[in-house]
Amino acid sequence: MTRTPVNVTVTGAAGQIGYALLFRIASGHLLGPDTPVRLRLLEIPQAVKAAEGTAMELDDCAFPLLAGVDIFDDATAAFDGVNVALLVGARPRTKGMERGDLLEANGGIFKPQGAAINAGAADDVRVLVVGNPANTNALIAQAHAPDVPAARFTAMTRLDHNRALSQLAAKLSVPVSAIRKMTIWGNHSATQYPDLYHTEVNGKIAAEQVEDGWLRDEFIPTVAKRGAAIIEARGASSAASAANAAIDHIHTWVHGTPEGDWTSMAVVSDGSYGVPEGLISSFPVVAKGGEWEIVQGLDINDFSRQRIDASVAELAEERDAVSSLGLL
Ligand code: NAD
Ligand code: LMR
């Protein structure tokens, strides 16, 4: 192997998404079959032993691309030299916790992690925040990494995007490969807006191939509330599908979107589509040469406008809440 390994830091490595994610990173699904990786796992001290167990299993797979696994309970050390940072570990909402408590608890995680990325990350660092509330956690981390371009901080709506593809494919009895230009707008929350007005199925607009009632009363709520439905069914939040979406997100960012298609990523707004500058909101995005760009010039109808505005208003509220907690 002649290439220098890429340093991939995964936080919350001993959690359920971590367990579904690490083996796929190590086997080459994140960065491709020619790129060796060095895994750097960050956990809280109580979970380091469990992370060590996962590292033993990674060893036992004898992955040819895996150059090493290091385990840390200190963010500064874990992010030293990081090229790809997957911020999965977060504080889940527990009984009796208000939204403000959740934002504050996560601020305590993402503020020092942003600072550690600022202090030690490699020049080409790319950050994906998975831990919820993902968009606002990404905003907090980004705010504490002033030396890293803001565009390098992203949050995950690819799972929502994949859920939307799958629901639409089932409705129209087509393979997911027949679908292009799916878009998730806004927050990774129940206010997100999966938009079928620009999506193409076999080259024709999806919204014109389904009934309005299905689009509004079934498709949108099914996609937006899928996370809660999984929790209800599994007794735990989505893990393998979330890990798969994280792999997709980074792979697309690094290797690009296919010609004639785009993806959904929550990225720092430049004011496009009326989303206030600086918010980390999901957009239709194309990726090329390792950089992303928001797709420009789409017509937004009144229905879509209202939905996008509602989700973006929620993001602005979250930003104001963490700002008043001194987290930005
Ligand atoms: P989990 O509870 O199984 O694992 C979380 C892990 O994070 C634990 O091992 C915990 O010890 C660790 N952790 C907590 N604080 C940490 C810190 N400061 N540094 C490093 N590690 C820390 O949870 P999970 O099922 O793996 O989910 C992780 C997060 O991903 C949750 O916030 C969940 O809501 C979110 N999620 C997001 C999406 C999405 O689409 N964006 C989808 C599914 C889940
Ligand atoms: C999901 O979309 O599956 C998760 O974000 C749900 C959750 O609240 O963890």
Side-chain angles (χ1 to χ4, degrees), residues 4 51 65 87 89 93 100 129 162 184 189 203 229 234 252 261 277 283 293 320:
T4 312
L65 289 172
L87 309 192
R93 192 201 290 251
V129 176
N162 288 344
I184 305 293
S189 77
R234 239 171 63 82
T252 300
D261 201 0
E277 215 177 315
F283 288 97
E293 251 178 54
D320 294 348

Side-chain angles (χ1 to χ4, degrees), residues 11-18 42-44 47 88-92 109 113 129-132 134 156-157 159-160 163 188 237-239 242:
T11 76
Q16 48 153 7
I17 294 177
L42 177 64
E43 259 297 350
I44 53 173
V88 178
R91 174 75 197 275
I109 295 174
Q113 290 185 359
V129 176
V130 174
N132 281 320
M156 191 165 91
T157 51
L159 178 54
D160 311 295
R163 287 167 170 163
H188 172 69
S237 68
S238 60

Side-chain angles (χ1 to χ4, degrees), residues 255-276:
H255 294 281
T257 37
E259 201 54 43
D261 201 0
W262 64 60
T263 190
S264 303
M265 279 169 75
V267 296
V268 177
S269 177
D270 59 356
S272 293
Y273 298 103
V275 179

Side-chain angles (χ1 to χ4, degrees), residues 177-220:
S177 56
I179 307 175
R180 301 263 183 282
K181 302 183 179 174
M182 178 63 73
T183 306
I184 305 293
W185 298 91
N187 199 1
H188 172 69
S189 77
T191 67
Q192 67 177 264
Y193 172 50
D195 177 358
L196 293 186
Y197 291 96
H198 303 99
T199 307
E200 296 170 4
V201 180
N202 289 322
K204 290 194 293 206
I205 294 298
E208 291 167 8
Q209 301 181 55
V210 298
E211 312 83 50
D212 276 358
W214 180 82
L215 190 158
R216 292 170 192 215
D217 304 329
E218 286 191 46
F219 172 73
I220 294 173

Side-chain angles (χ1 to χ4, degrees), residues 67-83:
V69 184
D70 296 298
I71 301 170
F72 304 90
D73 61 8
D74 171 68
T76 306
F79 289 114
D80 191 32
V82 62
N83 306 106

Side-chain angles (χ1 to χ4, degrees), residues 238-309:
S238 60
S241 57
N244 178 66
I247 297 269
D248 284 351
H249 177 114
I250 295 290
H251 191 276
T252 300
W253 190 355
V254 171
H255 294 281
T257 37
E259 201 54 43
D261 201 0
W262 64 60
T263 190
S264 303
M265 279 169 75
V267 296
V268 177
S269 177
D270 59 356
S272 293
Y273 298 103
V275 179
E277 215 177 315
L279 284 182
I280 297 192
S281 187
S282 188
F283 288 97
V285 158
V286 288
K288 201 174 173 187
E291 312 275 345
W292 57 259
E293 251 178 54
I294 296 171
V295 175
Q296 295 297 332
L298 301 178
D299 282 333
I300 305 297
N301 65 23
D302 289 347
F303 177 76
S304 297
R305 187 74 262 162
Q306 281 176 14
R307 296 284 179 144
I308 295 169
D309 287 351

Side-chain angles (χ1 to χ4, degrees), residues 6-93:
V6 172
N7 288 324
V8 180
T9 300
V10 179
T11 76
Q16 48 153 7
I17 294 177
Y19 196 70
L21 185 58
L22 294 171
F23 297 85
R24 293 193 60 199
I25 299 173
S27 61
H29 289 97
L30 186 77
L31 296 171
D34 302 321
T35 306
V37 291
R38 187 184 304 281
L39 281 169
R40 301 172 71 81
L41 314 185
L42 177 64
E43 259 297 350
I44 53 173
Q46 307 88 288
V48 161
K49 191 152 192 282
E52 285 168 357
T54 306
M56 288 162 70
E57 285 203 72
L58 283 161
D59 282 348
D60 295 350
C61 295
F63 289 119
L65 289 172
L66 185 57
V69 184
D70 296 298
I71 301 170
F72 304 90
D73 61 8
D74 171 68
T76 306
F79 289 114
D80 191 32
V82 62
N83 306 106
V84 177
L86 302 175
L87 309 192
V88 178
R91 174 75 197 275
R93 192 201 290 251

